[in-house]
Every structure is written in structure tokens, then in C-alpha cells.
Amino acid sequence: MASTLFTNARIVDGSAPEAGAPVSVLVEGGTIREVGKSVTSAKAKVVDLKGKTLMPGLIDAHVHVVAGVADLGANSRLPDSLVTARSFGIMRAMLMRGFTTVRDVGGADFGLKQATEEGDFPTPRLVISGKALSQTGGHADFRGRYDDRPSVIERHRLGALGRICDGVDQIRRAAREELKGGADFIKIMANGGCASPTDPIHFLGFSVSELEAVVEEAKMAGTYVSAHVYTDDAIRRCVEAGVHSLEHCNLIKAETAKLAASKGAVAVPTLVTYDKLVSDGPKLGFPPDSVAKVDVVRSAGMESLAIMKKAGLTMAYGSDLLGEMHKYQSEEFVIRGRALPAHEVIASATHVAAKLLKMEGLIGTVAAGAHADLIVVDGDPLKDLSLLTRQGKHMPVIMKGGTFMKRASLN
């Protein structure tokens, strides 16, 4: 069993505004065995981190690893073989940015998750919702105004982010099928969205009874519901129905933020995607009508961070990028850093996200018993969050499960 001893490790994990005092971290196999000032090992290979920062592997709680092109309707029509091949390229790039775990909130299936766990390809750990659930005309319905073909009931292609279900019986069945198929949680489209053609941002997805039904199904399976939501009305009705994970939340208001916080909900803002959909989306095939809808939510994004922070609403890290825009995944750190303290931004991608993913103590922390998912950073990201960007340029070491995925010179 291979072992590595990191010495002179100043840990930054988002739990404090300053880096920790130097310690040693012993990795044995795929696990962090010991952390402390006087850790020794006769057989471990020593890696001196003097002048560097040691961090837990980063966690992105809102990705779509099957979204190889920005036009999601076109992506849903691609053959599974092509989507699969592209998804492994997308995931490898995420890993090389220091993201050792990602939560896919619509698209990836259990076969893709199993392939990542078999370890033949360099990928992050993958937590999945399976297909997101949408009503007819909702955020996962890409048929358009004039397409009256029936929605797909079976054989959902890998490139499709979601599936259509209407009514309490259908949403229960869809949730059960996704859970049977290996979903770790359930994702629903509870609001209009930018990428889809027939649902303005203000549209509310699903009736209250449908929302309550899908929350009950998730609870019976020991998990939770994640909801795509922008407007204050959509967020409030989801919180009242028991939805736990609130994606985007750009138009949230103070009272709803307080209510969500009191219920123990978690918000997952995804600000970087709106900047890039406006700047890069048109040339990458994002439909013009969709680009027009982006500005409605983009302008309110930064204010939503302040509202949620003041309300005490926990926020996890999310990027929500599509196609060639995946490369901007780490820019979310810098954007949030304009409104929030650096250690809180880092916490959103470490222990906060780990708790949301129901993996608290296993990922997002440098502690005995956790998975040995670690990154080494040149300099101190608490002083400069941009050190976490540039495609891992400032990360000479990336380790996942005790295996070096990247190991450059530390000099």
C-alpha cells in the first residue's frame, strides 16, 4: 500500500480566514491516516510543502458533465457514444482544475458514475441526480413551440439533461425510476429557465401537490430534492414543500432567504454561467432567445449573494457551465470573492458542499479518515482566489483517493 507524508503543510479548507500552522499529513492507500505536528512514517514518500498551501480537493455542486455543446436541445439528440466520450474529456479537465468531486444535477446516469468509479479514466468522484424532472413546457422540454411530437417516456438519451412528467402519479413514478436507476438525489425544474425555449423565467414549474409528492419520494429513499429556481415565488414554494437544495436563486428576496435558512436549506448560486452565456454563448450555439433571457437573472446575481449571506442561508459552490464554457468553472471563486470573504467562498467548495452531498467528513476536509483528495496550491488562495483559476496552473499537485493525478515540481 503506497503512502505519502506531506510535511510543512499549511491547510486552507475554508474553516478559518487564515491558513493553519504547518502540520504533517500522512496518506496511506486512499485515505488520510493522520494529521498533526509530529506525524512520522518510515515507509512513506515525503513531499515537502514549505511555501505552499494544502487544500482538500474542490467540490462543484452544480455541473452537467454530459453537456458537450451549449445548445442543450441539440445535445439531447446526440448519440450516447459521442456524449460519453466527450463527458470523460469534460470530467478530466474538471479534475485538472482541482475538482475531485462534482455533483451532476441533470444528465449523467449510473453507468457513467460506475465508469468513473472503476478508475480507468481520470475523473472526479461523481454524485448524480439522473435525469432532471420537468413538466411539459418546462426547463427540460426542448421541443419548441411547433413541435407536437409526444415527449419521450422511455429510452432517454444520455445527452438529455431531463425528462418530462406531468401530475402527481407521473412525478412519483419518474422519481422512483431515477432512484432505482442509481440517482443519489432528485433534481426538479421548478421555474422557467434560460436554455429552454418555451418557459419564461417567471414560469412556475409543477403544482404544489407535485412538489410535495416528489419531496416525499426523496425522503422515503433517504435523500433530498434539488430544484432549479430563480424567482422569489418559485424559491418560496419549493422551500415550503420541503425542497432542500436550491439551485441559482438569483431573484431571491430577504424574507424567503430567511425562511430557507430556518428550514436548513442550502443554496447553490451559479453566477459564472450567466457572464459566459452572454459573452461566449452566441458563438457556441446558445440560442438567441435564450441569451436574451440570461440578462434577467445575471444582473441580480451579485445582490443575491449579499441577501443570502445576511439571512444566514448556507451556500455551496456551483458553476453550471455548458459546452466549451466548462473551462470557466473556477472563475466562480473570483466572482463570489467580490461579495464574500475568501474563506467563505472556499468553504462553499469544501466542507459546505461535502455536507450537501451527504459526504461530510469524507470529502472537503483534510482530516483523519477522509478520502485522500488533496490539492497543493502555490501561494495562499485566502489572499488571492485567482490562484484557484487558470486551469490548475497554480496547482502542482492534485491527488484523488491517494493517487497522484498531477504531480509537478514543487520547486
Side-chain angles (χ1 to χ4, degrees):
M1 182 170 60
S3 56
T4 304
L5 181 64
F6 293 99
T7 61
N8 293 309
R10 294 186 60 121
I11 296 172
V12 168
D13 59 6
S15 62
E18 300 290 336
V23 294
S24 294
V25 178
L26 177 62
V27 172
E28 291 183 352
T31 305
I32 297 173
R33 187 62 55 203
E34 195 174 351
V35 179
K37 293 183 179 179
S38 56
V39 179
T40 60
S41 173
K43 61 180 181 178
K45 187 155 188 180
V46 176
V47 179
D48 188 352
L49 297 184
K50 190 172 184 180
K52 314 289 183 185
T53 296
L54 183 67
M55 296 182 66
L58 303 173
I59 306 164
D60 190 332
H62 192 121
V63 302
H64 299 286
V65 301
V66 300
V69 294
D71 184 335
L72 295 180
N75 198 78
S76 70
R77 296 187 290 272
L78 295 174
D80 289 358
S81 54
L82 181 58
V83 172
T84 301
R86 287 176 171 174
S87 72
F88 279 106
I90 289 168
M91 287 190 283
R92 182 188 183 280
M94 290 177 171
L95 182 62
M96 291 299 103
R97 295 183 201 109
F99 289 94
T100 53
T101 303
V102 296
R103 185 183 69 148
D104 188 283
V105 287
D109 66 4
F110 191 77
L112 203 58
K113 178 174 179 173
Q114 182 175 335
T116 66
E117 291 174 349
E118 289 175 356
D120 293 323
F121 303 93
T123 69
R125 299 176 190 278
L126 187 58
V127 174
I128 64 169
S129 69
K131 299 303 180 190
L133 312 187
S134 166
Q135 68 176 47
T136 294
H139 188 47
D141 189 344
F142 289 90
R143 289 175 296 173
R145 301 280 181 205
Y146 307 120
D147 184 347
D148 59 359
R149 289 173 296 178
S151 60
V152 176
I153 297 175
E154 296 177 344
R155 182 63 189 92
H156 298 93
R157 286 190 172 181
L158 184 60
L161 268 61
R163 58 185 291 182
I164 309 302
C165 50
D166 296 297
V168 168
D169 289 346
Q170 283 192 16
I171 200 170
R172 284 190 185 277
R173 179 172 187 134
R176 290 173 183 178
E177 288 180 348
E178 294 306 326
L179 291 164
K180 170 187 171 293
D184 298 300
F185 64 102
I186 297 297
K187 168 73 179 298
I188 63 171
M189 302 302 197
N191 217 172
C194 299
S196 39
T198 59
D199 55 329
I201 297 298
H202 70 273
F203 266 34
L204 298 176
F206 295 120
S207 65
V208 170
S209 60
E210 288 169 317
L211 295 176
E212 291 173 344
V214 74
V215 167
E216 184 182 30
E217 291 298 329
K219 285 183 178 178
M220 289 191 297
T223 188
Y224 64 91
V225 173
S226 157
H228 161 98
V229 280
Y230 287 125
T231 67
D232 192 71
D233 284 347
I235 298 166
R236 176 170 283 271
R237 68 203 294 267
C238 280
V239 170
E240 290 173 343
V243 170
H244 178 61
S245 181
L246 306 166
E247 316 300 312
H248 315 304
C249 296
N250 297 56
L251 303 174
I252 196 169
K253 294 179 181 176
E255 288 307 310
T256 298
K258 290 175 186 174
L259 175 65
S262 73
K263 298 281 190 179
V266 177
V268 188
T270 57
L271 303 185
V272 64
T273 192
Y274 311 112
D275 283 352
K276 302 311 175 186
L277 284 172
V278 169
S279 63
D280 294 24
K283 65 186 177 188
L284 296 176
F286 198 65
D289 288 350
S290 294
V291 174
K293 290 199 281 184
V294 171
D295 263 340
V296 175
V297 293
R298 183 176 70 149
S299 58
M302 294 301 286
E303 184 182 0
S304 74
L305 294 181
I307 290 171
M308 290 187 283
K309 176 178 170 58
K310 186 175 181 180
L313 178 55
T314 299
M315 289 179 271
Y317 189 97
S319 59
D320 192 27
L321 293 158
L322 310 171
E324 293 181 34
M325 291 173 278
H326 282 292
K327 64 187 176 184
Y328 300 117
Q329 181 180 24
S330 306
E331 298 295 330
E332 182 80 11
F333 284 108
V334 177
I335 293 171
R336 293 198 194 188
R338 296 173 190 148
L340 301 170
H343 73 283
E344 293 184 16
V345 180
I346 290 170
S348 73
T350 54
H351 61 88
V352 170
K355 186 175 181 180
L356 174 60
L357 272 57
K358 301 173 77 70
M359 297 180 73
E360 190 174 14
L362 292 176
I363 60 173
T365 184
V366 183
H371 294 310
D373 296 354
L374 301 165
I375 60 174
V376 175
V377 181
D378 289 322
D380 186 352
L382 289 167
K383 295 182 170 59
D384 182 5
L385 284 169
S386 72
L387 293 174
L388 301 177
T389 66
R390 305 185 187 98
Q391 313 307 312
K393 178 182 178 181
H394 303 291
M395 299 175 186
V397 171
I398 298 171
M399 174 180 276
K400 179 197 161 196
T403 299
F404 286 100
M405 298 294 172
K406 176 183 178 182
R407 187 171 183 181
S409 171
L410 295 175
N411 294 332

